[in-house]
Amino acid sequence: MPSCCLLDRLPVELFHDVFEYFWAHEILQSFSNVSEHLDDVLHSYSSHRVNLQYILRKNFDLICESIRPDQVISLRLSDEKTIAQSEIFFSRFQLEQFTQLQSLTLVKIEEKILTAIFHGLTNLPHLRSLILKRPESMDQLNITYELLSQLNRLHLDKYHSYDDKSFPNLAHLKLSYEYSLDKIQIMCKQATNLKSLNVIIFMNTLVTQEFLLPLRQLTYLTLKVQNRPNIFISMNNIECLLTNLPCLKHFELHTNGSRELADGQRWQMLTQSLTTFHFNFKIEWLDINEHIDSFRTPFWIHEKQWFVAYYDNYLFSVPYFLNTHLKTPYCHEDFYTTLTDTSVVIGQNIKAVSIYGNFTGRIYHRCNHVETLEMFSSIPVESLLNIFDLNQIKCLTLFSLNNAQALVSLLQAMPRVQKLQIAFISQLNLFEIASRIQFEQIRTLAVHDSHFNVYNIERWCHLFPNVNDLTVGFLESKAELIRLLDGFKYLSYAVFEIKDSCIVDKETEMIIDEVRRLTKATFTYETVPELNDPTFVSSFNFWLGERQVF
C-alpha cells in the first residue's frame, strides 16, 4: 500500500458522493488497499448498495469479507445462476444485523431460505421497499400486516389482502399476477395514498360496474388488461377510469381491443392533462388508413409530440413500444406511422437483429446501434458492413457454422463481442486457427450440439482463454465435463448439459471430488435429474470462485 496518495487530499464527503453511483463490489474493487486513508473512508461509509444478482463468486466473497451489515441500505439477493447464494450469504450474516436496510430485492431464492427471510423482515425497522420474484414452484407467501404497514414500495407477483386494514404508507405498488377488477379495487381502498400503480386486470366478463380506481393521489398508472375472446375494455371504461384520477400524469396501457381504441380524437379529449401516454393495443381487422390520420393532429404531433405506429395488428406508441428486436425478412410496406422520418427513429432503436434464411439486404434502414446479432446462415462480413456498425456488436449467435476461418473473420470484424453462442455446428477444424490466434474479449461462451474430445477441448480453451460463463451441450462423458472445467481457468458460471443416460446420479460425488482436486476453487453446484429417469443426470450447474494458486 502506498505511503502517500494524492487521493488522500480529497474530503471524505466527496468520496461518499461518488460512491452513490456504484454498487458495493465496484467500490471495493476500485478503492480498497489504495491507501490507509481510503480504507478509513470505506470503513466509515454507511450507504452501500449491494447487488448480488449474477455476481462473480470472487466479488461475492469480497463483499462478505469487507462489508459490515450495518453499512448496507440496499440488498439484492438471487439464487438464479448463482447456486446456493442465499444459503451461503446467511451462513455468514444474520438478517437482523442489517439494521439500516431500506430496500430488499429477492429473486428466485430457495424456498427454505425465503421462508426464513420473511419470518425476520419485521426485525428490520428501516425497511421501506420489498421486491420479490418467487421460484415458480413455490406457493404464495403471506406478508404480515405489520410488514405491509411499514412499507413504502412493494413489488410482488401475488398479493395477500387483509380485510378492514389500511396501509397509509404504501405509495408504490406493482403486482405481476393478474387479478379481477373487484380485487384491484379492494387493494386500492386499502392503500389510498398510492402514487404509482402497476397491475394486470383480467376481464372474463363485460364490465358492468364502474371501471374506476379509488386513488385520488395517483400520478403513475401502468395497466395491462387481459381478456377472454371478444370481451374487451371499452372507451367508455377508459373514460370512467381517467376522469376519476385527477392527479394522474403518466399513463401506460396494454390491451386487446376493438377498432374504437384507434380513435385519436377521443384519446385527445381524455389525455389533455397527461404528461406521458404510452399504449400498446392489439386490434385485428383494422383499416389503418381510416384511423391513423386521427393521430396526426397538432395535439399529437406538435403539442404532445406523441407518435404512433401500426404493424402486425398492433397500434402502439413509438419509439416507446417499438420492437427493438428486428427479425428479417420483414414487410416494410405494412409498417404505418405518424413519424415523418422513420429511418432515424427505427435505426436508433433497433438493438437486436435476427437474420433468417438467405440474406438479401432487405433491411431498409441502416442500424448503427445493434448490439445483438443472430445469424441462421453464413453471411459474408462485407454484406453485414452495409447494414450494421459491427464495432457495436456485443453478443453474436451463430446457428450454423462449418468453417473455422468464417468464425475468425466475424470475430475480427466485431472486436467488442463479449458473448458468443454457437449452435448446430459441425466438427470444426480448430487446429488451423487455435495455435495462432486468441479471442481474449470473449467472456460468455455457449456451444451446443458440438462434438468434443480431449484434443479439441484444449483448443477451445486456448481460443477463448478468458471465458467466465460457459454453457456446453451435449457432453457424452464425465471426462469431457472435468476437462472443460479444468481447461477454462477463469470460470465463474458453468452449465453442462449431458447426453441422454451418460452419467448416473451416483457418479456425481466422484465427479465433484475430481473437479475440486483440479480447480482448487471454492464452488457450489446443483444437478438436474433426467425427467424420464431420475437416476441419470441431465445437467450440472456450477458457481465457482477463484482458483487457488500454489
Side-chain angles (χ1 to χ4, degrees):
M1 185 180 299
S3 58
C4 180
C5 177
L6 293 177
L7 291 175
D8 292 350
R9 301 178 182 178
L10 299 176
V12 173
E13 294 79 11
L14 179 60
F15 285 107
H16 288 182
D17 288 342
V18 171
F19 291 169
E20 291 181 5
Y21 294 91
F22 297 95
W23 297 113
H25 65 274
E26 296 171 331
I27 295 171
L28 294 172
Q29 286 176 317
S30 302
F31 294 95
S32 293
N33 298 319
V34 174
S35 71
E36 291 184 2
H37 173 69
L38 280 179
D39 282 347
D40 290 340
V41 172
L42 291 173
H43 185 77
S44 66
Y45 186 58
S46 59
S47 298
H48 275 301
R49 297 179 302 115
V50 176
N51 183 0
L52 302 180
Q53 190 172 15
Y54 306 132
I55 194 171
L56 296 179
R57 179 61 185 266
K58 66 177 182 179
N59 292 336
F60 173 85
D61 292 335
L62 176 64
I63 285 176
C64 292
E65 294 164 1
S66 306
I67 288 182
R68 303 187 315 274
D70 62 358
Q71 292 179 285
V72 178
I73 62 170
S74 174
L75 174 62
R76 179 190 294 265
L77 282 168
S78 173
D79 287 330
E80 187 177 29
K81 199 170 186 176
T82 48
I83 311 299
Q85 180 194 101
S86 61
E87 183 176 355
I88 300 171
F89 188 80
F90 287 112
S91 70
R92 301 188 183 189
F93 303 107
Q94 299 298 314
L95 185 61
E96 55 268 23
Q97 292 178 293
F98 292 85
T99 53
Q100 303 304 312
L101 192 65
Q102 300 172 21
S103 174
L104 178 62
T105 300
L106 304 169
V107 180
K108 295 189 175 180
I109 301 298
E110 293 180 9
E111 183 171 348
K112 64 177 181 179
I113 303 297
L114 188 58
T115 302
I117 291 174
F118 264 68
H119 286 157
L121 288 181
T122 52
N123 295 323
L124 303 175
H126 298 288
L127 188 66
R128 296 295 179 265
S129 173
L130 176 63
I131 299 174
L132 173 65
K133 184 177 181 180
R134 296 175 304 121
E136 294 177 0
S137 60
M138 189 173 184
D139 292 332
Q140 178 176 338
L141 268 171
N142 290 337
I143 301 179
T144 65
Y145 169 71
E146 290 74 20
L147 175 61
L148 266 177
S149 62
Q150 77 179 59
L151 292 178
N152 172 268
R153 182 182 300 273
L154 180 63
H155 178 183
L156 295 175
D157 42 9
K158 293 186 178 181
Y159 174 86
H160 179 78
S161 62
Y162 292 83
D163 295 335
D164 303 322
K165 299 288 187 179
S166 63
F167 309 104
N169 292 323
L170 193 60
H172 309 281
L173 177 63
K174 180 177 180 179
L175 301 175
S176 304
Y177 189 78
E178 59 187 35
Y179 291 95
S180 67
L181 176 61
D182 290 341
K183 185 71 171 178
I184 297 293
Q185 289 174 334
I186 292 173
M187 297 176 192
C188 293
K189 291 177 181 177
Q190 293 176 325
T192 55
N193 291 324
L194 282 176
K195 298 291 190 299
S196 71
L197 178 65
N198 187 327
V199 291
I200 305 171
I201 294 179
F202 180 70
M203 293 175 55
N204 57 2
T205 61
L206 291 174
V207 177
T208 56
Q209 78 269 40
E210 286 188 304
F211 197 99
L212 55 82
L213 301 175
L215 297 170
R216 306 291 292 179
Q217 306 302 317
L218 196 71
T219 56
Y220 288 81
L221 174 61
T222 298
L223 186 60
K224 298 180 181 179
V225 182
Q226 299 186 357
N227 51 274
R228 295 174 61 117
N230 300 319
I231 297 181
F232 302 129
I233 188 172
S234 70
M235 286 299 294
N236 288 337
N237 296 146
I238 295 168
E239 181 174 355
C240 179
L241 173 70
L242 294 180
T243 54
N244 284 279
L245 296 173
C247 294
L248 190 68
K249 294 299 178 185
H250 307 276
F251 183 37
E252 182 177 322
L253 178 61
H254 311 239
T255 189
N256 300 343
S258 64
R259 284 174 288 181
E260 68 169 340
L261 293 179
D263 185 348
Q265 293 180 348
R266 189 164 184 191
W267 279 114
Q268 176 175 332
M269 292 186 291
L270 295 176
T271 58
Q272 294 277 351
S273 63
L274 295 183
T275 302
T276 63
F277 174 43
H278 303 300
F279 59 84
N280 191 16
F281 304 148
K282 184 175 183 181
I283 307 174
E284 297 183 359
W285 311 112
L286 178 66
D287 186 347
I288 190 59
N289 290 313
E290 295 181 2
H291 294 81
I292 197 163
D293 283 344
S294 66
F295 295 94
R296 287 196 171 107
T297 65
F299 170 84
W300 289 91
I301 303 299
H302 302 297
E303 180 181 344
K304 295 294 189 178
Q305 297 185 19
W306 294 341
F307 302 98
V308 306
Y310 182 77
Y311 181 70
D312 195 24
N313 294 325
Y314 281 89
L315 181 69
F316 53 92
S317 304
V318 288
Y320 191 84
F321 280 113
L322 183 69
N323 192 344
T324 60
H325 187 169
L326 177 65
K327 299 179 181 181
T328 65
Y330 77 104
C331 185
H332 174 73
E333 290 78 9
D334 290 342
F335 185 86
Y336 299 86
T337 180
T338 59
L339 288 166
T340 55
D341 186 356
T342 60
S343 61
V344 174
V345 174
I346 294 177
Q348 290 180 349
N349 285 275
I350 297 298
K351 302 298 183 184
V353 173
S354 298
I355 302 175
Y356 299 88
N358 294 326
F359 182 66
T360 61
R362 290 198 63 188
I363 299 180
Y364 292 86
H365 310 287
R366 180 165 177 83
C367 301
N368 288 326
H369 301 275
V370 172
E371 298 179 353
T372 299
L373 180 62
E374 293 182 335
M375 296 166 50
F376 287 78
S377 60
S378 181
I379 302 171
V381 170
E382 294 75 17
S383 297
L384 296 173
L385 284 169
N386 291 330
I387 301 297
F388 309 110
D389 180 356
L390 298 185
N391 290 313
Q392 304 303 316
I393 305 296
K394 298 178 181 178
C395 175
L396 175 64
T397 300
L398 305 172
F399 284 90
S400 177
L401 188 64
N402 52 20
N403 185 314
Q405 189 55 49
L407 174 63
V408 171
S409 298
L410 286 169
L411 292 179
Q412 287 179 333
M414 304 176 185
R416 297 183 64 193
V417 168
Q418 294 185 341
K419 181 176 183 180
L420 175 64
Q421 302 180 84
I422 306 175
F424 308 116
I425 69 172
S426 59
Q427 186 78 29
L428 284 178
N429 182 9
L430 298 178
F431 290 85
E432 61 185 75
I433 61 172
S435 60
R436 59 183 173 83
I437 196 168
Q438 287 183 308
F439 294 102
E440 298 181 355
Q441 78 274 21
I442 302 297
R443 295 294 188 270
T444 300
L445 177 65
V447 183
H448 297 278
D449 295 331
S450 63
H451 304 281
F452 285 107
N453 56 56
V454 68
Y455 301 107
N456 66 16
I457 284 177
E458 290 181 356
R459 283 160 176 78
W460 280 100
C461 297
H462 182 269
L463 195 60
F464 305 108
N466 295 326
V467 168
N468 59 39
D469 187 344
L470 177 67
T471 300
V472 176
F474 291 91
L475 297 180
E476 296 186 355
S477 72
K478 57 182 177 288
E480 294 172 353
L481 183 154
I482 293 170
R483 183 67 191 89
L484 284 163
L485 275 174
D486 183 40
F488 286 101
K489 302 298 185 183
Y490 299 101
L491 287 181
S492 185
Y493 316 105
V495 176
F496 300 104
E497 298 171 351
I498 311 300
K499 202 166 185 178
D500 292 347
S501 305
C502 284
I503 297 181
V504 183
D505 184 52
K506 62 184 180 182
E507 296 180 293
T508 298
E509 287 302 321
M510 180 184 67
I511 293 172
I512 297 305
D513 288 342
E514 184 67 9
V515 171
R516 188 174 289 113
R517 183 185 70 81
L518 287 171
T519 64
K520 303 292 191 301
T522 57
F523 62 86
T524 50
Y525 73 95
E526 67 178 1
T527 60
V528 180
E530 287 188 10
L531 290 176
N532 297 329
D533 189 348
T535 61
F536 289 94
V537 177
S538 68
S539 74
F540 281 83
N541 305 330
F542 291 87
W543 185 37
L544 301 106
E546 283 191 300
R547 304 188 182 204
Q548 300 177 24
V549 179
F550 298 97

